[in-house]
């Protein structure tokens, strides 16, 4: 896992320096809407929550969310780049150049929003 971690919530983006910061921020009923990536573009998922549907979120207790670091998902660099480009486009109100690398997009996102604690 290559920190920082990027959490996408249907277009909103938060960046976390550590797994612990991410896990403290996330509430278990909301994890169905989240996508988590490290800076290399690898997907990660949460473990320990049985029913993650938003329809039942009002009836679920809020439990701590734990990132499954031992079973990462696939590498999705293009997906992460698209999420970050869209975010930068909305926040900066300009179109980020398609020539920016994934690492440059991550850094630009950090510059715009900082780290979430």
């Amino acid at each position: 896992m290559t920190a920082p971690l990027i959490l996408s919530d249907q277009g909103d983006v938060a960046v976390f320096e550590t797994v612990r910061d991410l896990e403290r921020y996330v509430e278990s009923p909301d994890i169905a809407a989240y996508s988590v990536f490290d800076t290399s573009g690898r997907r990660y998922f949460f473990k320990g929550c049985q029913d993650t549907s938003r329809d039942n979120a009002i009836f679920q207790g809020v439990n701590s969310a734990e990132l499954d670091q031992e079973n990462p998902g696939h590498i999705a660099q293009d997906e992460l780049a698209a999420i970050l480009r869209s975010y930068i486009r909305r926040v900066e109100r300009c179109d980020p150049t398609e020539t920016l690398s994934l690492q440059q997009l991550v850094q630009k996102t950090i510059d715009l929003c900082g780290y979430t604690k």
Side-chain angles (χ1 to χ4, degrees):
M1 177 180 295
T2 308
L5 301 169
I6 297 104
L7 180 135
S8 173
D9 179 7
Q10 300 174 354
D12 289 330
V13 171
V15 182
F16 299 88
E17 287 184 285
T18 67
V19 172
R20 179 155 168 70
D21 289 341
L22 172 75
E23 291 174 341
R24 284 190 314 203
Y25 177 85
V26 171
E27 294 181 343
S28 58
D30 298 328
I31 66 173
Y34 295 149
S35 298
V36 178
F37 303 86
D38 71 4
T39 57
S40 70
R42 182 167 300 278
R43 286 286 309 261
Y44 286 86
F45 302 94
F46 293 98
K47 61 182 178 180
C49 295
Q50 295 174 335
D51 184 359
T52 59
S53 68
R54 281 206 172 235
D55 294 338
N56 293 328
I58 196 164
F59 301 111
Q60 294 179 17
V62 175
N63 302 312
S64 59
E66 184 179 353
L67 194 66
D68 189 351
Q69 299 176 59
E70 297 166 8
N71 299 301
H74 61 283
I75 295 197
Q77 292 177 336
D78 292 340
E79 181 182 355
L80 177 57
I83 289 168
L84 296 179
R85 279 188 197 349
S86 174
Y87 176 77
I88 293 166
R89 193 175 297 119
R90 280 192 338 242
V91 171
E92 264 197 344
R93 295 200 166 123
C94 72
D95 204 8
T97 177
E98 295 296 321
T99 62
L100 290 180
S101 70
L102 180 57
Q103 298 306 317
Q104 290 170 317
L105 289 167
V106 169
Q107 187 57 54
K108 190 165 189 68
T109 302
I110 294 168
D111 293 344
L112 288 171
C113 71
Y115 291 104
T116 303
K117 295 283 181 181

